[in-house]
Amino acid sequence: MNDDAILDEFRQAEALLEGHFILSSGLRSSRYLQCARVLMDPRRAAWLCDELARRLPGDVRESIEVVISPAMGGVIVGHEMGRSLGVSAMFLERPTGTFELRRGFRIDAGTRVLMMEDVVTTGLSSREAIAAIRAAGGEVVAAASLVDRSNGAADLGVPFFPLIRLDVPSYQPDALPAELAAIPAIKPGSRAA
């Protein structure tokens, strides 16, 4: 499967949006991937995660004991990766602003974890999730996501395996190109007002 086929899955799900978007990082962009739309079809979600699992290096894939993802965006994709890899899947929540395992989720010290995201933009939430997993005793062996839209700039501190890299410029709100500034901004996703 090549990048065009993967992007076509997003297009068919009406998950690749064009306009003026406020990203969860606060940055602005002319394109937005609404991963929830592509993941709402269980067959499509399974297919994408199976492909990502297949692409993981064998030694990484075989070392993973559990998949942990940040809520909300990572819940479905984390569950699908767990299914694909044949391991349990859990998620982190931020009840007080900091990620933590809840709902009876726990891991033993040294448990080898794949931290799974839907989209990585700046890498901040991924790094926060990795820190929470380590605080819970886990050893994060790698991170993965359906999409890396950081233009390759996100340093997660562990090996990072995205299914696809989408190089779309992001801008500070006070440094928008004229064509983007002329379009009203909307905030899609789970942190929308």
Side-chain angles (χ1 to χ4, degrees):
M1 175 189 317
N2 62 29
D3 287 357
D4 288 334
I6 294 165
L7 276 178
D8 194 48
E9 292 297 318
F10 281 86
R11 286 185 191 99
Q12 288 177 30
E14 298 178 13
L16 182 56
L17 310 176
E18 305 219 0
H20 180 180
F21 303 100
I22 302 170
L23 307 176
S24 59
S25 64
L27 296 174
R28 306 295 180 91
S29 178
S30 62
R31 292 174 97 187
Y32 185 82
L33 283 170
Q34 182 58 274
C35 280
R37 295 264 324 155
V38 80
L39 296 171
M40 70 186 220
D41 178 341
R43 290 167 297 184
R44 183 176 276 134
W47 184 70
L48 291 169
C49 289
D50 287 347
E51 179 66 17
L52 178 54
R54 186 188 65 74
R55 292 182 183 192
L56 293 175
D59 59 328
V60 170
R61 189 174 51 249
E62 292 170 16
S63 72
I64 297 166
E65 296 177 296
V66 67
V67 175
I68 300 180
S69 56
M72 254 322 278
V75 173
I76 294 171
V77 74
H79 183 270
E80 282 299 320
M81 278 301 286
R83 179 204 49 79
S84 186
L85 295 168
V87 299
S88 295
M90 300 177 221
F91 56 88
L92 301 159
E93 296 177 82
R94 293 188 215 235
T96 60
T98 304
F99 279 129
E100 60 185 84
L101 289 172
R102 299 177 45 131
R103 302 175 191 264
F105 293 152
R106 63 184 175 282
I107 54 176
D108 294 329
T111 298
R112 293 180 307 275
V113 177
L114 172 70
M115 192 288 300
M116 183 68 194
E117 281 265 34
D118 56 350
V119 178
V120 171
T121 300
T122 65
L124 177 61
S125 67
S126 297
R127 288 188 299 274
E128 291 172 347
I130 289 168
I133 293 165
R134 288 178 175 151
E139 176 193 342
V140 180
V141 296
S145 69
L146 289 183
V147 180
D148 174 11
R149 63 164 291 143
S150 76
N151 296 322
D155 179 2
L156 305 184
V158 297
F160 175 41
F161 303 98
L163 180 59
I164 188 169
R165 294 186 191 279
L166 186 62
D167 294 330
V168 177
S170 299
Y171 306 96
Q172 291 293 334
D174 59 355
L176 298 174
E179 63 275 8
L180 199 55
I183 304 169
I186 61 171
K187 186 171 186 169
S190 62
R191 296 188 198 177

